[in-house]
């Protein structure tokens, strides 16, 4: 009912209202990492993203003004998952590149 009221008041369609709100860019990926490699990646990510608010309840989540990065090891396979959500795609790419650099450093690639 509130959405219909807003549409009536503004004369906008639902898609126009959604466009006004904006959205977020989300990227998910995973890469090989046993528990030792994953721990080292998280350790270096904490140094790299020291300006972020860090939450270690489930893996390691780094909160920034423009989005967040979440690194966690899988409980069922030797992989690490990386999820990034930002307001702009370019910011997500920046964080993904930073984690990729850390992973390459740890893995010697």
């Amino acid at each position: 009912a509130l959405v219909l009221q807003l549409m009536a008041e503004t004369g906008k369609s639902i898609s126009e209202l959604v466009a006004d709100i904006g959205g977020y860019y989300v990227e998910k990926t995973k890469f090989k990492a046993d528990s030792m490699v994953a721990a080292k990646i998280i350790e270096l990510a904490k140094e790299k993203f020291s300006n972020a608010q860090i939450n270690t309840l489930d893996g390691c989540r780094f909160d920034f003004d423009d989005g967040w990065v979440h690194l966690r090891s899988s409980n069922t396979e030797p992989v690490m998952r990386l999820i990034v959500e930002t307001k702009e795609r370019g910011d997500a790419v920046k964080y993904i590149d930073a984690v990729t650099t850390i992973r390459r450093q740890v893995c010697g690639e």
Side-chain angles (χ1 to χ4, degrees), residues 31-38 41 73-74 77-80 107:
F31 50 87
K32 290 183 182 182
D34 62 24
S35 59
M36 299 272 296
V37 168
I41 289 170
S73 294
S74 170
E77 55 187 327
V79 298
M80 179 168 249
C107 295

Side-chain angles (χ1 to χ4, degrees), residues 24 45-55 60-71 82-87 91-92 94-96 98-99:
Y24 285 83
K46 286 179 179 178
E47 292 175 15
K48 174 70 178 175
F49 302 134
S50 62
N51 61 323
Q53 181 178 359
I54 299 173
N55 181 323
C60 196
R61 178 175 159 141
F62 303 90
D63 289 302
F64 305 95
D65 290 338
D66 60 351
W68 52 266
V69 172
H70 188 209
L71 283 165
L82 167 63
I83 304 169
V84 178
E85 181 178 293
T86 58
K87 295 177 183 176
D91 294 325
K94 174 182 69 174
Y95 294 129
I96 292 167
V99 173

Side-chain angles (χ1 to χ4, degrees), residues 2 7 9 12 23 27 30 32 37 44-45 61 89:
L2 292 175
M7 289 173 64
E9 289 174 0
K12 294 182 178 182
E27 181 75 30
K30 66 180 179 179
K32 290 183 182 182
V37 168
L44 293 174
R61 178 175 159 141
R89 183 180 186 282

